[in-house]
């Protein structure tokens, strides 16, 4: 795979792996300062982005979108899918909308898992420590404050942008965030889950109890260093909830389906 580069804001870490046999790109926006789903093999080129300011990708958003569009053009991409969970889901909604508004020559869409969808004005449904920290930063940093005010609400999706939001329908805050998003091509996928970490159901075989226990335990271990995970890690029903779902598709399969055949998208494998 060849490498292509563009100039991102200095606080946005990026990596692009180009599959010369694909005209599609999956852009993974991380919910943490390191890359998310980094070892996952997708069926296309893949771009990883991580916001070192924990600003939900709002700060410098036009420049981030411009860099993504530049790489997409250089790679000859026809379709770009932004993928993220939680704050990465917010960033996916934001960047897909910005890119589709500026670059009609390509199809931009997003796949979001339990995203926050409105972080400005202050949203009482968002309880994460990194969000409280962002609000504090905005009090003293005008650039961050201005971009937060400008880009802090992604509930209105342009008609040119296809958006799929997967969330736990038994999680009151996540359900409210998802249901606030409006647009002609917005699809809400309601899972019978309480957990915020709905993406876990697509990272392993959800009918393999050993695998499910292992990935939930890995999340709990990670919470020692990631404060935003601590409340999620205290949830006690994650394993049982995930096991009771019908057999789910993998994250790469979901991305493939949205890029190749979005009109027949389904999170379950039917097996």
């Amino acid at each position: 795979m060849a490498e292509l580069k563009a100039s991102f804001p200095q606080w946005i870490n990026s990596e692009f792996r180009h599959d010369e046999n694909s005209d599609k790109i999956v852009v993974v926006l991380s919910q943490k300062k390191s890359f998310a789903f980094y070892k996952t093999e997708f069926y296309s080129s893949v771009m990883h982005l991580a916001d070192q300011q924990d600003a939900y990708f709002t700060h410098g958003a036009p420049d981030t979108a411009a860099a993504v569009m530049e790489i997409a053009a250089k790679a000859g991409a026809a379709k770009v899918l932004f993928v993220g969970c939680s704050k990465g889901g917010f960033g996916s909604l934001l960047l897909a909308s910005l890119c589709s508004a500026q670059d009609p020559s390509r199809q931009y869409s997003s796949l979001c898992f339990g995203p926050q969808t409105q972080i400005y004005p202050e949203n009482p449904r968002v309880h994460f420590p990194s969000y409280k920290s962002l609000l504090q930063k905005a009090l003293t940093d005008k650039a961050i404050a201005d971009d937060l005010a400008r880009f802090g609400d992604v509930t209105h999706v342009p008609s040119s942008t296809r958006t799929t939001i997967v969330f736990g329908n038994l999680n009151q805050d996540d359900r409210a965030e998802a249901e606030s998003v409006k647009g002609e091509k917005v699809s809400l996928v309601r899972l019978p889950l309480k957990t915020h970490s709905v993406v876990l159901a697509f990272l392993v075989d959800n009918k393999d109890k050993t695998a499910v226990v292992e990935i939930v335990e890995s999340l709990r271990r990670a919470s020692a260093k990631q404060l935003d995970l601590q409340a999620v890690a205290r949830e006690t029903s994650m394993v049982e909830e995930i096991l009771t779902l019908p057999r789910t598709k993998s994250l790469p399969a979901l991305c493939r389906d949205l890029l190749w055949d979005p009109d027949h998208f389904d999170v379950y494998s039917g097996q």
Side-chain angles (χ1 to χ4, degrees), residues 217-253:
E217 287 304 315
S218 71
L219 180 144
R220 289 178 174 143
R221 289 193 297 271
S223 70
K225 295 182 179 180
Q226 298 177 45
L227 294 180
D228 285 352
L229 287 179
Q230 291 184 358
V232 177
R234 289 194 293 270
E235 297 172 355
T236 59
S237 60
M238 275 190 286
V239 171
E240 291 74 17
E241 285 188 345
I242 293 170
L243 287 170
T244 58
L245 291 173
R247 187 175 297 279
T248 58
K249 295 180 180 177
S250 67
L251 177 60

Side-chain angles (χ1 to χ4, degrees), residues 137-156:
K137 288 179 187 176
L139 295 176
T140 57
D141 190 317
K142 186 177 185 302
I144 287 178
D146 287 348
D147 281 350
L148 182 60
R150 184 180 177 190
F151 302 113
D153 187 333
V154 292
T155 58
H156 302 286

Side-chain angles (χ1 to χ4, degrees), residues 132-259:
K132 304 304 181 184
S133 177
L134 173 61
L135 295 178
Q136 288 299 312
K137 288 179 187 176
L139 295 176
T140 57
D141 190 317
K142 186 177 185 302
I144 287 178
D146 287 348
D147 281 350
L148 182 60
R150 184 180 177 190
F151 302 113
D153 187 333
V154 292
T155 58
H156 302 286
V157 176
S159 60
S160 58
T161 309
R162 183 184 295 271
T163 296
T164 303
I165 301 177
V166 183
F167 62 98
N169 200 45
L170 304 180
N171 184 308
Q172 182 177 348
D173 290 335
D174 285 359
R175 183 176 68 248
E177 290 294 292
E179 290 178 345
S180 70
V181 179
K182 307 299 180 184
E184 292 181 21
K185 298 179 181 178
V186 174
S187 298
L188 303 185
V189 180
R190 303 170 186 271
L191 302 183
L193 302 175
K194 292 181 181 178
T195 182
H196 176 64
S197 298
V198 293
V199 73
L200 296 183
F202 306 96
L203 300 181
V204 295
D205 178 353
N206 74 303
K207 293 303 181 182
D208 182 338
K209 184 173 182 178
T210 300
V212 173
V213 168
E214 183 177 329
I215 198 166
V216 169
E217 287 304 315
S218 71
L219 180 144
R220 289 178 174 143
R221 289 193 297 271
S223 70
K225 295 182 179 180
Q226 298 177 45
L227 294 180
D228 285 352
L229 287 179
Q230 291 184 358
V232 177
R234 289 194 293 270
E235 297 172 355
T236 59
S237 60
M238 275 190 286
V239 171
E240 291 74 17
E241 285 188 345
I242 293 170
L243 287 170
T244 58
L245 291 173
R247 187 175 297 279
T248 58
K249 295 180 180 177
S250 67
L251 177 60
L254 296 181
C255 295
R256 177 197 60 203
D257 291 353
L258 282 172
L259 286 167

Side-chain angles (χ1 to χ4, degrees), residues 36-95:
F37 317 132
Y38 188 67
K39 295 181 180 180
T40 302
E41 293 291 333
F42 294 94
Y43 298 92
S44 63
S45 297
V46 60
M47 185 186 306
H48 287 279
L49 302 179
D51 184 352
Q52 303 307 295
Q53 292 186 330
D54 269 341
Y56 286 69
F57 297 91
T58 57
H59 190 201
D63 293 332
T64 301
V68 171
M69 289 186 288
E70 180 181 345
I71 289 177
K74 289 178 177 177
K79 295 182 178 181
V80 179
L81 174 66
F82 293 90
V83 179
C85 59
S86 198
K87 74 180 69 167
F90 180 97
S92 296
L93 282 161
L94 173 60
L95 291 179

